[in-house]
């Protein structure tokens, strides 16, 4: 066996592969050259008859040739597959401009996501009470997420590990309270807003933790807003949701953007359940928004929508909410 | 934070309150109590017994005869420290012992057992088994220091006698309140029992038994008292360097110490708050911190280089060996306490190993200092060294609390170890004296903010009970309120803070609900809000289910689909390497969602409303972007609607109008989109084939074919000339489940709404009959219908052409293989007349005559 024979064999193989037009031909070529009884394999067996030095030299060349043919074969194969797919798709061509009236085939009625359902109910209640539904960006300036809410640079809540930060030094809003700050800046008091939306916290996902969740912020700014009025709105909300008088309690809670600040608990099935944080808007937050805190005051609250949805529908794993599983979604036909 | 009821009772009388009562008071007036933990339950079951005889049964096992006064019992016991003549506790069968200390493992019941032929009728418990401490070394031998009398609580120490209950000797079982530290971040004064006692004293209107506040040197009395402590001048000099983030440093030298273990009552209290036990000196230092909240540290004075103790910033790279045996390399922003030789403590966080109290300690230097909260937090975080001390300093303790630890520690130590003496005067450096805080407030403001009608006197009383001293100013209801040092940290500084104090002590449950008298105004509805609501309802009505996807995207997957990451917003700290970018389109998520659902069902109709995010803002529709206009957006956020549709039916659509041979899924979703567009905008949605194949970097570009799209079943969608989205069938091979012919559409909601007119004017309905005619046109098979439509519309007046419908598409014999025929129907009519036969014929003739010029031919 000579080097020349090998070179000739290689050239023949490459030419044949190059001119192959379908996968069947390619397969035949694979067998012809590289198969168990293929031409190259046969040459490999001849190696035994050579001297050590010769064997080493020719052996290396043989392997190299084999690899080259293999790679050309593979390249050609993927080209043919692509071409085949293109041809097949071309055969599937439809006239997209044709005005066809076709009807959908679906399994049963469509469903609204439970988060949408609950959000709508709350929006309905608050709209009825004169609150405007607003929203804001999900990627936020630090200023609106923290500073303007009286959370100074040194506050532990601003620790890097609690929030998602972008490479542009902005962050994914950690609460809908950022919309408080934006609304104060844009709207003139008196004002009443609710702002539902998606929020993010740097958290590993498990059955009760999510890095993505929903809140609804509420705020009222007027001349003389009191804790008593806050209680009125919260009780009205609960009367609407539950259809009757509810036992609630306010207890002290600390949030930099309210003073005084509370946690509102509701008496539910024999025990107190934490429902939402709320309070009177901190005068500094008003001033950041360009509102005279001597003239105006207000209350604010933040409802955890995801949690409300979970307890309303008795959902035991938060991952269902954004899992996109139709077997979950299809259950919310009504209610 | 763990708060022991017995400890609190040192300071305030809690008699008459059940554990639940006072936990409820703390929750509603101060901070939420997570849970109540009764500790030391077995104490109630134990009796005092005298060890009469100890007879070995076998190795490490003795038969012990106990006298309970009136009777004698036999117990088999292995402890080595059980000697005749000792007084020990005895738990008879039926009583309980602690086996594992945890909420989940309640104490277990003691039973009668025969061991090595001897009947044992109970146990002689260890401190651990009694639930008193963590000590498991031997049985509890009742000696000195059993109860808290030493802590000056006023209780008398009862000497143990056989037959008495153990509770008579060591006190009743305790109850611990567990409070989440997070609810106390704003209250540095509540990081010790004394702080809670102050609150309860105010809430219950009962006096404080120990007035530690008088020791604070923000008053003349406190200063005088401190000056009188010790007689000799101290050999220690304190030098706090400027900018060293230390607000105060004071030290007191004590001598005549020996290292003993702490009495039971002290160890028991430390155990109840979860602190470990070492020796009297270290235990006492911890005890004082949990008692009055002020962290402190004890150095072996003989292990310090005498002279000046410095508080300074560390040198970059300086080494420090902590009490935890770890050596740390410090940064120039870390604060250290140093003698002339080396750093001996990491300020406010951890003491040093080399100067710590040990077996040979005779003389100590007690440190009570105060550090800047932010500096302590950053140092503790950097070195991953959060200690009880750093936790407290992070919350901004008052520097006026420093003397409290000096007093409390020295007094308790001298009571517990008679040989101890104060060696010399207190020495200190106090470079940052906080200014007293005075808050002007009107009682009207307080009443108005709360919405209650409290009279001035009542408000004054509440404030005074919290040591917020109100001084009445000249005009009515005006006051100047001085804030006590321990609340003048970051806690109380503005009138609103006083509203909270009055409100919580008065009780929020006493605030009546109050309907406001406000101007009645209609809430505004923003267009996007209305449109989204309308679209959602319509989609649900035709069988679509709503899903919510994540805002993150798998950039590698998105890129294979044809969405480059170039303009995607990148996260600095993604939760997962595959979720490093914010999604630019909802399509990749929808493809995955459809794919997953394909494992369970063949009919999928999903929609999602969500945002796509990109770094470059397009100015074209910024004003509509949000329900409220937004200032300074941080990124370009688009409101998108994405639809995914798969049906189990075949690709042919016999039932369509006109019937089609393939692509029924595409046409079905297109029909839906056309209806939705008409529904919300009144405009006709037009398909617009992609012009080129160049992939755009921006996902907001709807003019290009993305990799996932079937090239012959994909289109851009336009509305009044604006490209508002795309619709395409998913290419074979993209889904890994068996689903085929899935169709996906993405629409930009704001672009959809743009130019929407609110009111459409009425068009009169013609009273004249319409006429129609049909024709079949033969054309090249790949030529789109659109060309025929254009041809017709160019030749028939728009005023007259009421409707143009496709009746059928035909291929096959006798047509050539590359031909198709489309049958169309024209409905014609005029507003002011019935179209005459001549008119109709000439329209028809014009249409037929021109066919040849456009490579159409009439099929006859």
């Amino acid at each position: 066996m000579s080097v020349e024979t090998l070179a000739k064999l290689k050239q023949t193989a490459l030419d044949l592969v190059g001119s192959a037009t379908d996968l069947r031909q390619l397969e035949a070529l694979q067998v012809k050259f590289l198969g168990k009884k293929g031409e190259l394999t046969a040459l490999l067996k001849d190696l035994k008859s050579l001297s050590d030095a010769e064997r080493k030299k020719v052996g290396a060349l043989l392997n190299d040739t084999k690899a080259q043919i293999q790679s050309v074969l593979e390249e050609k194969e993927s080209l043919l597959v692509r071409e085949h797919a293109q041809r097949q798709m071309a055969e599937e061509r439809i006239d997209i401009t044709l005005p066809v009236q076709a009807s959908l085939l679906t399994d049963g009625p469509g469903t609204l996501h439970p988060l949408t359902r609950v959000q709508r109910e709350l929006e309905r209640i608050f709209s009825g009470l004169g609150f405007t539904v607003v929203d804001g960006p999900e990627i936020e300036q630090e200023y609106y997420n923290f500073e303007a809410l009286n959370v100074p640079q040194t506050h532990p809540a601003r620790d890097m590990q609690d929030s998602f930060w972008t490479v542009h030094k902005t962050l994914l809003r950690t609460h809908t309270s950022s919309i408080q700050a934006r609304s104060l800046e844009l709207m003139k008091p008196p004002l009443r807003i609710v702002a539902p939306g998606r929020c993010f916290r740097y958290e590993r996902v498990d059955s009760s933790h999510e890095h993505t969740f929903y809140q609804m912020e509420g705020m009222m700014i007027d001349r003389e807003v009191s804790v008593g009025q806050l209680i009125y709105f919260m009780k009205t909300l609960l009367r609407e949701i539950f259809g009757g008088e509810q036992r609630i309690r306010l207890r002290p809670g600390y949030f930099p953007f309210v003073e005084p600040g509370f946690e509102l608990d509701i008496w539910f099935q024999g025990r107190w359940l934490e429902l939402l944080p709320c309070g009177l808007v901190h005068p500094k937050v008003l001033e950041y928004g360009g509102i005279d805190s001597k003239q105006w005051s207000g209350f604010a609250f933040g409802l955890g929508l995801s949690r409300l949805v979970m307890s309303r529908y008795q959902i035991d794993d938060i991952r269902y909410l954004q899992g996109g599983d139709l077997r979950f979604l299809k259950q919310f036909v009504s209610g | 934070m763990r708060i022991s009821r017995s400890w609190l009772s040192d300071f305030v009388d809690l008699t008459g309150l059940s554990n639940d009562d006072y936990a409820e008071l703390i929750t509603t007036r101060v901070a939420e109590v997570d849970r109540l933990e009764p500790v030391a339950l077995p104490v109630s079951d134990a009796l005092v017994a005298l060890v009469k005889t100890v007879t070995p049964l076998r190795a490490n096992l003795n038969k012990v005869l106990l006298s309970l006064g009136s009777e004698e019992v036999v117990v088999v016991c292995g402890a080595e420290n059980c000697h005749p003549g000792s007084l020990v506790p005895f738990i008879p069968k039926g009583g309980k012992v602690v086996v594992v200390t945890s909420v989940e493992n309640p104490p277990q019941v003691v039973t009668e057992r025969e061991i090595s032929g001897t009947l044992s009728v109970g146990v002689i418990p260890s401190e651990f088994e009694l639930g008193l401490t963590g000590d498991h070394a031997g049985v509890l031998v009742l000696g000195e220091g059993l109860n808290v009398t030493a802590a000056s609580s006023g209780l008398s120490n009862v000497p143990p006698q056989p037959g008495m209950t153990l509770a008579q000797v060591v006190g009743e079982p305790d109850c611990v309140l567990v409070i989440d530290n997070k609810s106390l971040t704003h209250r540095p004064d509540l990081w010790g029992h004394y702080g809670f006692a102050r609150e309860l004293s105010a809430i219950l209107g009962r006096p404080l038994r120990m007035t530690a506040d008088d020791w604070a040197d923000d008053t003349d009395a406190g200063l005088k008292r401190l000056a009188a402590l010790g007689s000799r001048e101290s050999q220690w000099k304190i030098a706090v360097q400027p900018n060293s983030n230390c607000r105060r440093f004071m030290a007191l030298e004590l001598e005549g110490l020996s290292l003993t273990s702490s009495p039971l009552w002290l160890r028991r209290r430390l155990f109840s708050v979860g602190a470990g036990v070492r020796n009297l000196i270290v235990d006492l230092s911890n005890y004082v911190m949990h008692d009055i909240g002020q962290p402190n540290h004890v150095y072996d004075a003989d292990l310090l280089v005498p002279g000046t103790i410095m508080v300074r910033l560390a040198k970059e790279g300086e080494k420090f060996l902590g009490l935890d045996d770890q050596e740390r390399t410090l940064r120039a922003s870390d604060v250290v306490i140093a003698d002339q030789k080396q750093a001996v403590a990491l300020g406010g966080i951890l003491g040093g190993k080399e100067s710590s109290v040990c077996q040979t300690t005779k003389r100590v230097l007690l440190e009570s200092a105060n550090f800047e909260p932010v500096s302590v937090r950053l140092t503790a975080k950097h070195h991953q060294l959060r200690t009880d001390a750093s936790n407290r300093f992070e919350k901004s303790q008052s520097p006026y609390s420093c003397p409290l630890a000096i007093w409390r520690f020295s007094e308790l130590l001298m009571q517990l170890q008679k040989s101890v003496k104060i060696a010399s005067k207190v020495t200190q450096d106090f470079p940052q004296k906080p200014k007293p805080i005075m808050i002007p407030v009107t009682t009207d403001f307080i009443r108005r903010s709360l919405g209650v009608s409290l009279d001035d006197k009542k408000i004054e009383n509440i404030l005074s009970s919290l040591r917020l001293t109100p001084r009445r100013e000249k005009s009515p209801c005006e006051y100047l309120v001085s804030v006590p040092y321990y609340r003048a940290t970051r806690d109380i500084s503005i009138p609103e803070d006083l509203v909270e104090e009055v409100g919580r002590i008065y009780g929020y449950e006493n605030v009546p609900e109050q309907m406001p008298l406000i101007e009645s105004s209609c809430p505004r509805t923003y267009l996007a809000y209305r449109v989204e609501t309308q679209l959602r309802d319509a989609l649900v009505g035709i069988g679509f289910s709503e899903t919510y996807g994540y805002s993150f995207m798998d950039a590698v997957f998105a890129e294979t689909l044809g969405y480059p990451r170039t303009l995607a917003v990148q996260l600095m700290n993604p939760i997962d390497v595959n979720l490093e970018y914010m999604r630019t389109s909802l399509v990749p998520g929808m493809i995955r969602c459809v794919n997953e659902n394909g494992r369970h069902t063949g009919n999928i109709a999903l929609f999602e409303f969500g945002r796509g995010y990109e770094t470059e803002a397009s100015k074209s529709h910024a004003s509509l972007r949000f329900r409220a206009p937004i200032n300074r957006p941080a990124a370009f956020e688009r409101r998108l609607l994405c639809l995914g549709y798969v049906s189990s039916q075949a690709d042919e659509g016999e039932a369509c109008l006109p019937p089609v041979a393939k692509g029924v899924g595409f046409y079905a979703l297109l029909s839906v989109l056309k209806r939705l567009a008409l529904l919300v905008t009144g405009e006709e949605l037009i398909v617009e084939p992609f012009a080129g194949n160049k992939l755009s970097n921006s996902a907001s570009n709807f003019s290009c074919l993305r990799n996932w799209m079937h090239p012959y079943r994909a289109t851009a969608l336009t509305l009044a000339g604006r490209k508002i989205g795309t619709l395409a069938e998913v290419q074979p091979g993209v889904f890994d489940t068996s689903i085929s012919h899935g169709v996906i559409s993405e629409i930009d909601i704001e672009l959809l709404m743009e130019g929407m007119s609110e009111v459409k004017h009425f068009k009169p309905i013609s009273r004249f009959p319409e006429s129609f005619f049909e024709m079949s046109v033969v054309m090249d098979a790949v030529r789109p219908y659109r060309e025929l439509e254009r041809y017709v519309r160019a030749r028939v007046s728009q005023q007259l052409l009421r409707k143009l419908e496709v009746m059928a598409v035909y291929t096959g014999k006798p047509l050539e293989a590359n031909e198709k025929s489309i049958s169309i129907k024209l409905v014609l009519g005029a507003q002011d007349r019935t179209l005459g036969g001549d008119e109709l014929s000439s329209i028809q003739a014009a249409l037929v005559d021109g066919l040849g010029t456009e490579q159409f031919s009439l099929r006859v």
Side-chain angles (χ1 to χ4, degrees), chain B residues 537-815:
Chain B
D537 286 339
L539 281 163
V540 167
I542 49 183
F544 278 81
S545 289
E546 187 181 20
T547 180
Y548 281 34
Y550 286 106
S551 298
F552 309 116
M553 78 173 182
D554 177 342
V556 175
F557 179 63
E559 271 171 352
T560 62
L561 297 180
Y563 297 96
R565 68 184 82 182
T566 329
L567 294 177
V569 177
Q570 191 183 359
L571 293 176
M572 225 157 67
N573 57 335
I575 201 101
D576 186 296
V577 282
N578 295 326
L579 304 173
E580 198 184 336
Y581 290 87
M582 301 298 285
R583 66 179 174 189
T584 56
S585 159
L586 306 194
V587 170
M590 182 57 82
I591 285 183
R592 282 215 162 138
C593 184
V594 168
N595 192 53
E596 286 310 305
N597 279 299
R599 300 184 201 282
H600 314 292
T601 174
N603 292 328
I604 298 166
L606 284 163
F607 71 98
E608 177 181 3
F609 278 94
R611 307 231 176 135
Y613 318 81
E614 283 189 356
T615 52
E616 278 173 24
S618 131
K619 281 180 191 140
S620 64
H621 53 291
S623 61
L624 282 164
R625 192 166 311 137
F626 293 100
R627 293 176 194 176
I630 86 161
N631 285 348
R632 300 195 282 147
F636 175 37
E637 292 183 27
R638 297 182 302 141
R639 297 172 173 281
L640 299 169
L641 163 63
C642 190
L643 297 150
Y645 173 64
V646 175
S647 105
S648 54
Q649 71 190 356
D651 199 29
E652 307 84 72
E654 295 294 326
C656 299
L657 190 72
V660 288
K662 51 198 173 187
V664 67
F666 178 94
Y667 291 122
L669 196 58
L670 182 59
S671 304
V672 165
L673 291 168
K674 283 186 168 174
R675 279 192 200 182
L676 292 179
L678 262 180
L679 179 77
V680 296
T681 69
E683 303 274 356
E684 186 82 32
L685 190 69
I686 311 280
V687 300
E688 180 81 31
F690 296 122
N693 273 2
K694 198 171 175 307
L695 213 55
S696 165
N697 278 337
S698 171
S700 65
N701 184 329
F702 292 130
S703 320
C704 64
L705 185 78
R706 305 278 168 188
N707 300 350
W708 62 271
M709 295 175 177
H710 189 308
Y712 302 99
R713 295 182 173 190
T715 182
L717 301 166
T718 66
L719 198 68
R722 303 181 308 276
K723 285 214 170 59
I724 64 153
T726 58
L727 165 69
E729 191 173 300
V730 180
Q731 244 182 51
V734 171
F735 292 125
D736 68 8
T737 38
S738 61
I739 38 179
S740 58
H741 304 299
V743 196
I744 288 185
S745 170
E746 183 168 62
I747 306 274
D748 184 313
I749 297 299
E750 279 139 23
L751 290 174
L752 172 77
M753 299 177 335
E754 202 170 294
M756 254 171 76
S757 62
E758 291 279 304
V759 178
K760 288 251 191 289
H761 286 186
F762 162 77
K763 280 192 200 125
I765 299 161
S766 170
R767 288 176 291 121
F768 301 96
E770 291 172 335
S771 317
F772 68 89
F773 75 85
E774 296 179 12
M775 61 193 275
S776 293
V777 178
V778 178
M779 57 206 272
D780 191 280
V782 296
R783 254 181 115 177
Y785 160 75
R786 170 74 44 88
E787 290 181 21
L788 177 59
E789 184 186 355
R790 286 211 184 105
Y791 169 83
V792 172
R793 290 195 190 278
R795 274 161 182 81
V796 182
S797 148
Q798 284 306 299
Q799 264 87 48
L800 301 183
L801 183 62
R802 288 280 154 83
K803 235 191 270 175
L804 176 61
E805 286 172 17
V806 177
M807 307 302 292
V809 181
Y810 179 76
T811 52
K813 292 221 152 74
L815 297 176

Side-chain angles (χ1 to χ4, degrees), chain A residues 91-92 95 101 111 116 120 123 138-139 154 163 165 182 186 198 210 226-227 239 259 322 324 326, chain B residues 377 449 500 513-514 529 537 545-546 548-551 572-573 597 613 631 637 662 667 710 785:
Chain A
E91 275 167 28
E92 290 182 339
D95 182 356
Q101 287 187 44
T111 49
T116 302
R120 275 194 178 180
E123 286 173 351
E138 291 171 5
I139 301 180
T154 53
S163 324
W165 294 88
R182 286 187 173 273
L186 282 162
R198 175 176 285 203
E210 250 289 5
S226 69
V227 176
R239 279 189 287 258
E259 188 63 61
Q322 287 184 255
L326 274 167
Chain B
R377 181 164 63 86
S449 299
E500 165 149 53
E513 104 180 66
Q514 182 188 45
Y529 175 50
D537 286 339
S545 289
E546 187 181 20
Y548 281 34
Y550 286 106
S551 298
M572 225 157 67
N573 57 335
N597 279 299
Y613 318 81
N631 285 348
E637 292 183 27
K662 51 198 173 187
Y667 291 122
H710 189 308
Y785 160 75

Side-chain angles (χ1 to χ4, degrees), chain A residues 89-134:
Chain A
M89 286 197 284
E91 275 167 28
E92 290 182 339
R93 176 197 292 271
I94 56 170
D95 182 356
I96 55 168
T97 69
L98 200 65
V100 179
Q101 287 187 44
S103 47
L104 288 173
L105 183 72
T106 58
D107 281 340
T111 49
L112 277 178
H113 194 280
L115 275 163
T116 302
R117 288 186 179 279
V118 170
Q119 182 180 323
R120 275 194 178 180
E121 182 169 350
L122 295 173
E123 286 173 351
R124 177 187 65 78
I125 294 167
F126 282 105
S127 295
L129 292 166
F131 286 67
T132 294
V133 181
V134 297

Side-chain angles (χ1 to χ4, degrees), chain B residues 11-88:
Chain B
F11 307 128
V12 65
D13 181 12
L14 296 178
T15 47
L17 284 169
S18 73
N19 287 335
D20 286 331
D21 284 349
Y22 100 101
E24 172 78 9
L25 278 179
I26 297 281
T27 291
T28 56
R29 305 289 199 270
V30 187
E32 188 186 21
V33 172
D34 257 6
R35 59 177 191 273
L36 277 171
E37 245 177 45
V39 293
L41 266 178
V43 168
S44 323
D45 301 327
L47 299 167
V48 176
L50 176 70
V51 180
K52 301 276 281 190
T53 61
V54 178
T55 325
L57 287 172
R58 55 178 161 87
N60 301 326
L61 209 61
N62 301 317
K63 174 182 171 185
V64 181
L65 180 67
L66 294 174
S67 161
L68 299 173
S70 54
E71 58 168 324
E72 290 188 344
V73 292
V74 171
V75 172
V76 175
C77 171
E80 287 172 8
N81 65 340
C82 187
H83 304 298
S86 301
L87 287 171
V88 294

Side-chain angles (χ1 to χ4, degrees), chain A residues 40-66:
Chain A
L40 215 61
T41 322
L43 287 181
L44 211 61
K45 282 172 189 155
D46 288 350
L47 277 179
K48 278 182 224 151
S49 59
L50 297 175
S51 70
D52 276 4
E54 276 279 284
R55 189 157 63 215
K56 214 168 195 180
K57 197 177 128 208
V58 180
L61 201 61
L62 209 59
N63 278 332
D64 188 46
T65 307
K66 192 178 169 187

Side-chain angles (χ1 to χ4, degrees), chain B residues 125-178:
Chain B
S126 65
E127 289 177 15
F128 176 88
E129 286 167 321
L130 283 162
L132 293 174
T133 75
D135 190 353
H136 220 332
V139 300
L140 168 61
V141 177
L142 301 168
E144 294 283 297
L146 294 175
N147 210 339
V148 286
T149 45
S152 65
S153 69
L155 295 172
S156 62
N157 214 346
V158 184
Q161 296 291 330
M164 288 169 83
T165 65
L166 187 66
Q168 280 176 279
V169 181
V170 300
E172 288 299 322
D174 199 359
C175 173
V176 174
L177 296 185
V178 184

